[in-house]
Amino acid sequence: MAIRDVLTVPDPRLKQVSKPVDKVDDALRALMDDMLESMYAADGIGLAAIQIGEPVRVIVIDLAREDEEPNVKYFVNPVLSEPSEQLEPYEEGCLSVPTVYDEIERPDRVRVTYLDYNGKEVSEIAEGMYAVCIQHEMDHLEGVLFIDYLSRLKRNRAVQKVKKLEKEKERDDAA
Ligand code: NI
């Protein structure tokens, strides 16, 4: 396993639409392992493959709190259906838009159908934080970020904030 760099805005690769996976094999599991390790290293709760530069339809999520056992879920070629009419606001963040948080409204319940780590098909209802997280990660597969739902002013401000942060990080790394 390897910790890989997480892409941040305005990296154009984050706007790419990810491609479906042909089969769940050892090479794909190696990618999923890297994704999980990279997500944990960055203190994230969800990660899409494109965030480490791989444009394939793969997501990892672990919503367990720090005092709980890990609860890792892997999603290959996930599809959402049956979204609830009821929308709920939730304050979202993203490893590709570090230090920026804002409230987004999404359906509070949705069905997710996917292949798991072993290639087995699973279909289940996601609610609450799980529903928020899977919808946020699914957006990444379409090249959509949560800041794309905000006003242009807020979005530009977010991108500038991240650019500045990255520049400071580069300077610190060089020092
Ligand atoms: Ni994200």
Side-chain angles (χ1 to χ4, degrees):
M1 290 209 277
I3 295 172
R4 316 226 325 226
D5 283 341
V6 176
L7 307 181
T8 56
V9 287
D11 194 305
R13 286 172 286 181
L14 292 168
K15 304 305 272 175
Q16 260 179 281
V17 176
S18 293
K19 292 198 177 66
V21 169
D22 287 335
K23 65 174 194 277
V24 182
D25 56 11
D26 286 346
L28 191 76
R29 277 186 280 272
L31 171 66
M32 292 194 268
D33 293 344
D34 280 0
M35 287 171 64
L36 187 71
E37 201 175 357
S38 306
M39 181 183 86
Y40 282 155
D43 273 329
I45 57 171
L47 190 82
I50 190 61
Q51 292 181 275
I52 57 167
E54 304 285 348
V56 289
R57 303 185 81 83
V58 179
I59 289 167
V60 298
I61 288 177
D62 183 351
L63 296 174
R65 289 189 306 267
E66 257 176 62
D67 57 339
E68 292 174 333
E69 288 292 307
N71 180 20
V72 186
K73 292 173 85 81
Y74 300 92
F75 305 82
V76 178
N77 298 339
V79 175
L80 299 183
S81 59
E82 303 169 30
S84 61
E85 278 176 35
Q86 176 72 32
L87 303 180
E88 282 291 336
Y90 198 89
E91 191 173 72
E92 297 189 21
C94 180
L95 294 178
S96 294
V97 197
T99 73
V100 175
Y101 300 88
D102 216 316
E103 208 167 75
I104 307 291
E105 276 196 345
R106 299 183 189 269
D108 73 343
R109 190 171 185 278
V110 69
R111 176 173 292 279
V112 53
T113 305
Y114 58 97
L115 302 177
D116 69 9
Y117 192 81
N118 297 306
K120 195 177 121 225
E121 187 173 301
V122 180
S123 184
E124 62 196 16
I125 299 289
E127 288 180 289
M129 190 145 134
Y130 179 20
V132 171
C133 194
I134 191 66
Q135 290 176 85
H136 173 117
E137 301 308 331
M138 288 292 294
D139 277 350
H140 278 297
L141 306 187
E142 304 302 324
V144 174
L145 298 165
F146 84 97
I147 55 171
D148 293 334
Y149 297 107
L150 304 176
S151 68
R152 195 201 296 194
L153 180 72
K154 275 190 169 181
R155 187 164 59 244
N156 288 344
R157 210 182 276 155
V159 173
Q160 291 311 319
K161 191 176 176 194
V162 174
K163 273 167 108 172
K164 192 165 164 243
L165 198 78
E166 291 300 311
K167 207 179 270 175
E168 283 166 6
K169 216 163 72 185
E170 269 169 41
R171 209 177 41 214
D172 290 349
D173 287 349

